């Protein structure tokens, strides 16, 4: 059996179910055995075609129905599958439904897959869980071996070249992948795209460039292993030369993106004094080489371009910190300076602090932008907004009046929800950045403490990773083995006191039963007896009685001092608004570094506002 089918059966058999479906087997449709030869299949197909073809049925005087046509089409499909050796092997291994899943992964119903998994055997589920365990072992095998080598548990004869064997295996797989991508050749142009508009998403130059970068890392890894084994006696700055080149290639990739100049179509039309549709093809090509043109500052293309530019700038800043750290490390290893290792890792501490600070600054600016567009979003009142506007812009006009200011138009509910989503997403990014950097600093502190002379085992350095991996595997195990099938006859209590009530027992006059009529408000007030006072903390539970003539009769509930749902919702809303207002004020205390916060800022490194454009005669004058 092919390796891909073996892996598919190991991973996905529990999702296919034990039965192959209600469709008739392909071999039964052709009337052959499962070990039939290709010649047997051809003879069986001809025989079945003479019997099932709609034209043959019509010649014998039989009325051809849609079922006959569908059965002939089904038989023809079975022959097409079984006559192909590759498809036949796939069909014999995983059936028709498995074939459809491989050819069209999104054709199967997710509910059906979940149902099949819930009814699968423990053996099939165990195979899936063992795959996740194997992945975890492959990932953590190398760090564990390195820690054991550092602690001296592998014996005096162990070498770093042999300990790093899992790394060499990974490098071999990745190298094979790069070579395979290069051997694929250029992508063919789709038929629906014109030749002048087709751009290869992965040109050959980028493929060779990625292969060269990966080879630099492999050379650096080999040199480090030889240097640790004293196979070579080179200085460490020579060993790090491939890493220098790799960092230089990274800078070569990121600098153009970090310096990307974004202009809108409106800016180009104002600068050149003519509509964008009148631009010649040479002008458009020249503009595209120098600028990134977007429709407007509010378009998704503008936001995507700014994200790319911001990410590139952040990568450049991280690269600078890495280069400084490498320089400190080489000075510590090749010279007699004997710095404290906590000082050598100062660039790492600063880089983590800058990442967290940039995320917090981004959140503060997004929150300030949302607060300017909708002050009530964070609990600010209209009077507070007017006072802040007067204090910030009072010097723009005479007597402290902002004559150029305009009254803000109220935003719609959709815009308000979009602002909330932006602030929420920015808050998630702050939490993610702070948590990831805190975890990184924890690992770095354990590593520095060990090389500084601490007496604990090197396994404690990777203990946080092992702990998280164990928790993830436990959760996966509970998810895989605890999923069970829910019976269709099982009824859930939805809290409906009337809709899911069992039918009452039939009385003597059940056939003449009619629902009772509700009395009017005047009759209720006249017939309603005085109600005794109840304690404020005791809610009134509605009661009912059964009348053979009137059916189920509910007693009128007594008034209660418990607040209504509307009052409770209003109280909860007020409390939530107060909490959000306090949180916003705390953030503002750290974010305000000027008289008023910056507005319409998409990213902490660059403002999305484009500079004023002056009309020019040529494209070169745009610079």
């Amino acid at each position: 059996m092919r390796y891909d089918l073996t892996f598919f059966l190991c991973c996905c058999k529990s999702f296919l179910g034990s039965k192959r479906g209600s469709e008739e087997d392909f071999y039964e449709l052709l009337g052959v055995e499962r070990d039939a030869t290709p010649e047997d299949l051809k003879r069986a197909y001809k025989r079945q075609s003479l019997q099932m073809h709609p034209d043959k049925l019509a010649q014998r005087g039989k009325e051809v129905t849609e079922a006959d046509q569908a059965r002939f089409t089904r038989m023809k499909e079975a022959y097409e599958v079984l006559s192909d050796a590759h498809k036949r092997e796939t069909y014999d291994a995983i059936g028709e439904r498995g074939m459809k899943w491989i050819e069209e992964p999104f054709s199967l119903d997710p509910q059906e897959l979940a149902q099949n998994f819930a009814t699968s055997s423990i053996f099939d589920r165990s195979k899936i869980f063992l795959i996740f365990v194997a992945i975890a072992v492959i990932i953590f095998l190398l760090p564990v071996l390195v820690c054991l080598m550092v602690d001296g548990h592998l014996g005096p004869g162990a070498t770093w070249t042999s300990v790093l064997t899992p790394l060499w295996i990974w490098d071999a797989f990745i190298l094979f992948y790069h070579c395979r991508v290069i051997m694929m050749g250029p992508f063919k142009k789709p038929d629906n795209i014109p030749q002048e508009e087709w751009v290869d998403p992965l040109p050959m130059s980028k493929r060779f460039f990625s292969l060269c970068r990966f080879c630099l890392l492999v050379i650096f890894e080999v040199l480090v292993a030889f240097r640790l084994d004293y196979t070579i006696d080179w200085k460490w700055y020579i060993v790090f030369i491939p890493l220098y080149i790799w960092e230089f290639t990274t800078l070569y990739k990121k600098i153009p993106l970090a310096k990307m100049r974004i202009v809108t179509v409106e800016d180009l039309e104002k600068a050149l004094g003519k509509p964008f549709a009148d631009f010649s093809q040479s002008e458009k090509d020249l503009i595209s080489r120098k600028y990134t043109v977007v429709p407007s500052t509010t378009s998704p293309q503008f936001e995507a371009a700014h994200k790319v530019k911001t990410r590139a700038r952040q990568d450049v800043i991280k690269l600078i910190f890495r280069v400084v750290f490498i320089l400190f490390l080489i000075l510590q290893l090749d010279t007699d300076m004997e710095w404290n290792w906590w000082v050598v890792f100062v660039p790492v501490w600063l880089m983590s602090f800058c990442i967290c600070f940039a995320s917090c600054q981004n959140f503060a600016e997004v929150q300030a932008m949302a607060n300017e567009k909708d002050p009530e979003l964070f609990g600010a009142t209209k009077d507070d907004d007017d006072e802040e506007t007067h204090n910030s812009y009072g010097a723009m006009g005479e007597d402290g009046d902002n004559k150029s200011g305009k009254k803000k138009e109220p935003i719609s509910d959709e815009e308000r929800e979009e602002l909330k989503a932006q602030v929420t997403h920015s808050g998630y990014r702050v939490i993610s950045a702070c948590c990831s950097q805190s975890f990184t600093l924890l690992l770095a502190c354990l590593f520095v403490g060990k090389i500084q002379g601490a007496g604990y085992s090197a396994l404690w350095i990777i203990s946080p990773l092992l702990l998280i991996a164990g928790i993830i595997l436990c959760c996966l195990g509970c998810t895989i083995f605890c999923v069970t099938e829910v019976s269709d006859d099982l009824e859930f209590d939805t809290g409906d006191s009337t809709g899911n009530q069992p039918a009452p027992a039939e009385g003597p006059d059940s056939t003449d039963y009619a629902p009772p009529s509700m009395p009017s408000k005047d009759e209720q007030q006249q017939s309603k007896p005085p109600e005794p006072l109840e304690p404020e903390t005791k809610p009134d539970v509605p009661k009912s009685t059964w009348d053979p003539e009137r059916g189920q009769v509910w007693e009128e509930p007594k008034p209660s001092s418990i607040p209504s749902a509307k009052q409770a919702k209003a109280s909860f809303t007020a409390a939530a608004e107060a909490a959000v207002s306090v949180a916003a004020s705390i953030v503002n205390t750290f974010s305000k570094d000027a008289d008023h916060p910056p507005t319409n800022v998409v990213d902490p490194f660059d403002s999305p506002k484009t500079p004023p454009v002056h009309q020019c005669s040529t494209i070169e004058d745009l610079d």
Side-chain angles (χ1 to χ4, degrees):
M1 185 181 296
R2 301 198 313 265
Y3 293 109
D4 57 342
L5 295 179
T6 304
F7 181 77
F8 185 85
L9 283 175
C10 183
C11 298
C12 306
K13 185 179 179 180
S14 57
F15 295 99
L16 296 176
S18 57
K19 298 181 181 180
R20 292 188 175 181
S22 60
E23 300 291 345
E24 190 175 358
D25 185 73
F26 283 172
Y27 292 97
E28 296 178 0
L29 283 172
L30 293 174
V32 295
E33 299 294 334
R34 302 191 71 86
D35 57 350
T37 62
E39 290 75 13
D40 296 336
L41 293 174
K42 290 181 181 180
R43 288 193 295 267
Y45 175 67
K46 293 180 180 179
R47 183 177 60 253
Q48 294 288 24
S49 297
L50 292 175
Q51 296 178 2
M52 302 172 59
H53 198 282
D55 295 341
K56 301 297 181 180
L57 296 177
Q59 291 176 3
R60 291 195 292 266
K62 181 180 178 181
E63 182 180 358
V64 180
T65 61
E66 294 182 358
D68 296 332
Q69 296 179 355
R71 184 169 178 80
F72 175 75
T73 304
R74 179 74 175 165
M75 187 272 298
K76 185 178 179 181
E77 180 184 357
Y79 175 73
E80 291 176 353
V81 172
L82 298 182
S83 60
D84 189 334
H86 184 82
K87 293 183 178 180
R88 181 178 181 178
E89 185 178 5
T90 305
Y91 175 79
D92 293 339
I94 58 180
E96 182 183 3
R97 297 172 67 249
M99 288 181 58
K100 289 184 178 179
W101 194 357
I102 292 178
E103 296 175 356
E104 300 178 2
F106 299 100
S107 62
L108 297 180
D109 186 9
Q111 295 183 357
E112 181 182 0
L113 297 178
Q115 180 72 15
N116 294 336
F117 182 79
T119 57
S120 61
S121 63
I122 297 296
F123 179 72
D124 292 337
R125 302 189 188 192
S126 301
K127 291 189 292 185
I128 298 178
F129 181 71
L130 289 177
I131 291 175
F132 286 106
V133 174
I135 293 174
V137 171
I138 293 174
I139 293 175
F140 289 100
L141 178 61
L142 179 62
V144 170
L145 289 177
V146 171
C147 292
L148 293 178
M149 183 69 178
V150 171
D151 291 339
H153 296 308
L154 299 181
T159 61
W160 284 99
T161 306
S162 59
V163 169
L164 297 178
T165 300
L167 181 61
W168 313 137
I169 297 176
W170 276 108
D171 291 342
F173 276 108
I174 299 175
L175 183 63
F176 173 77
Y177 167 76
H178 281 283
C179 296
R180 181 74 179 216
V181 171
I182 293 176
M183 293 172 61
M184 289 171 57
F187 289 104
K188 295 182 179 180
K189 180 186 73 65
D191 298 335
N192 58 342
I193 299 179
Q195 182 64 36
E196 59 274 6
E197 298 181 2
W198 166 248
V199 178
D200 192 348
L202 191 61
M204 298 299 296
S205 59
K206 289 187 177 180
R207 304 182 194 184
F208 283 105
F209 184 74
S210 300
L211 177 61
C212 294
R213 282 172 50 85
F214 176 73
C215 291
L216 288 174
L217 289 180
V218 173
I219 294 173
F220 171 70
E221 294 167 359
V222 173
L223 291 179
V224 169
F226 287 168
R227 180 65 178 82
L228 292 175
D229 289 335
Y230 295 100
T231 305
I232 57 177
D233 195 15
W234 297 353
K235 291 289 186 179
W236 281 102
Y237 75 88
I238 301 177
V239 175
F240 276 84
I241 288 178
L243 190 59
Y244 304 152
I245 302 175
W246 186 85
E247 294 288 4
F248 176 77
T249 57
T250 305
L251 186 65
Y252 174 77
K253 288 175 54 180
K254 298 299 180 180
I255 284 295
L257 297 176
K259 297 172 62 178
M260 180 173 54
R261 305 174 67 178
I262 305 173
V263 296
T264 62
V265 175
E266 182 180 1
D267 295 336
L268 292 175
E269 293 177 347
K270 290 181 179 179
L272 299 181
K274 58 181 178 179
F276 187 76
D278 297 340
F279 288 5
S280 63
Q281 187 63 35
S282 59
E283 290 177 340
K284 292 181 179 179
D285 294 340
L286 182 59
I287 291 173
S288 62
R289 286 195 296 267
K290 290 188 175 183
Y291 307 97
T292 299
V293 183
V294 296
S296 63
T297 56
T298 58
S299 62
Q301 294 86 348
F302 181 77
E303 183 178 357
H306 264 281
K307 286 183 179 180
V308 172
K309 183 176 181 179
T310 300
R311 190 177 295 111
R313 291 190 173 187
Q314 292 176 352
D315 292 339
V316 170
I317 295 175
K318 294 178 183 178
L319 186 146
I320 294 174
F321 280 109
R322 290 199 304 267
V323 170
V324 174
F325 171 70
I326 292 173
L327 293 177
F328 282 10
L329 185 61
I330 291 174
L331 291 176
Q332 178 75 353
L333 296 175
D334 284 344
T335 62
D336 298 332
M337 300 181 66
E338 295 184 359
W339 288 355
N340 190 296
W341 282 101
W342 295 98
V343 177
V344 175
F345 277 77
V346 164
V348 177
W349 319 136
L350 293 178
M351 182 175 65
S352 298
F353 173 76
C354 290
I355 293 174
C356 295
F357 178 78
S359 300
C360 294
Q361 184 182 8
N362 183 24
F363 172 75
E365 292 175 349
V366 172
Q367 190 252 352
M369 178 267 295
N371 191 20
E372 182 188 4
K373 291 184 178 180
D374 185 15
E376 298 180 358
L377 183 62
F378 297 100
T381 61
K382 185 175 180 181
D383 297 336
D384 296 338
D385 184 61
D386 294 341
E387 182 179 356
E388 182 179 356
T389 304
H390 177 74
N391 293 335
S392 300
Y393 301 97
M396 295 180 63
E398 297 178 1
D399 299 332
D401 296 330
N402 185 7
K403 295 182 179 181
S404 62
K406 297 181 180 179
K407 185 178 180 181
K408 298 179 181 179
E409 297 181 358
I411 64 176
S412 61
D413 294 338
E414 296 180 357
E415 294 176 343
R416 182 176 289 105
E417 292 298 328
E418 184 178 357
L419 288 177
K420 290 182 180 179
Q422 291 179 1
V423 175
T424 303
H425 178 68
S426 181
Y428 289 156
R429 291 180 59 184
V430 171
I431 296 175
S432 176
C434 293
C435 292
S436 61
Q437 293 305 314
S438 299
F439 188 76
T440 304
L441 289 178
L442 175 62
L443 297 179
C445 290
L446 291 174
F447 178 76
V448 174
K450 178 62 179 179
I451 61 178
Q452 190 67 27
Y456 53 80
S457 173
L459 290 174
W460 283 102
I461 300 175
I462 62 172
S463 59
L465 296 174
L466 297 176
L467 177 62
I468 293 178
I471 294 174
I472 293 176
L473 286 178
C474 290
C475 295
L476 285 174
C478 294
T479 303
I480 292 174
F481 292 105
C482 297
V483 174
T484 57
E485 184 182 9
V486 179
S487 176
D488 296 336
D489 300 332
L490 183 62
E491 296 182 358
F492 295 93
D493 185 9
T494 59
D496 189 0
S497 60
T498 58
N500 296 328
Q501 291 286 345
E506 294 185 358
D509 299 333
S510 59
T511 57
D512 298 331
Y513 168 75
S517 59
M518 296 297 295
S520 62
K521 293 183 179 180
D522 296 338
E523 294 177 355
Q524 291 179 3
Q525 294 177 358
Q526 293 177 3
S527 61
K528 186 176 181 181
E531 299 175 354
L533 296 176
E534 294 288 339
E536 294 183 358
T537 59
K538 181 179 180 181
D540 196 0
V541 181
K543 299 180 181 180
S544 65
T545 57
W546 176 256
D547 191 333
E549 297 181 357
R550 300 177 58 189
Q552 191 175 13
V553 181
W554 292 88
E555 296 181 1
E556 290 291 334
K558 299 178 181 180
S560 174
S561 60
I562 299 177
S564 61
K566 185 179 295 184
Q567 296 175 349
K569 182 178 180 180
S571 301
F572 179 78
T573 303
E577 291 179 351
V580 173
S581 176
V582 172
S585 62
I586 295 174
V587 173
N588 286 332
T589 56
F590 294 97
S591 63
K592 289 184 178 180
D593 54 354
D595 293 337
H596 58 279
T599 59
N600 296 331
V601 178
V602 177
D603 196 85
F605 291 93
D606 192 16
S607 174
K609 293 184 178 180
T610 56
V613 180
H614 304 283
Q615 187 169 352
C616 53
S617 58
T618 62
I619 297 176
E620 286 75 6
D621 295 339
L622 288 175
D623 297 333

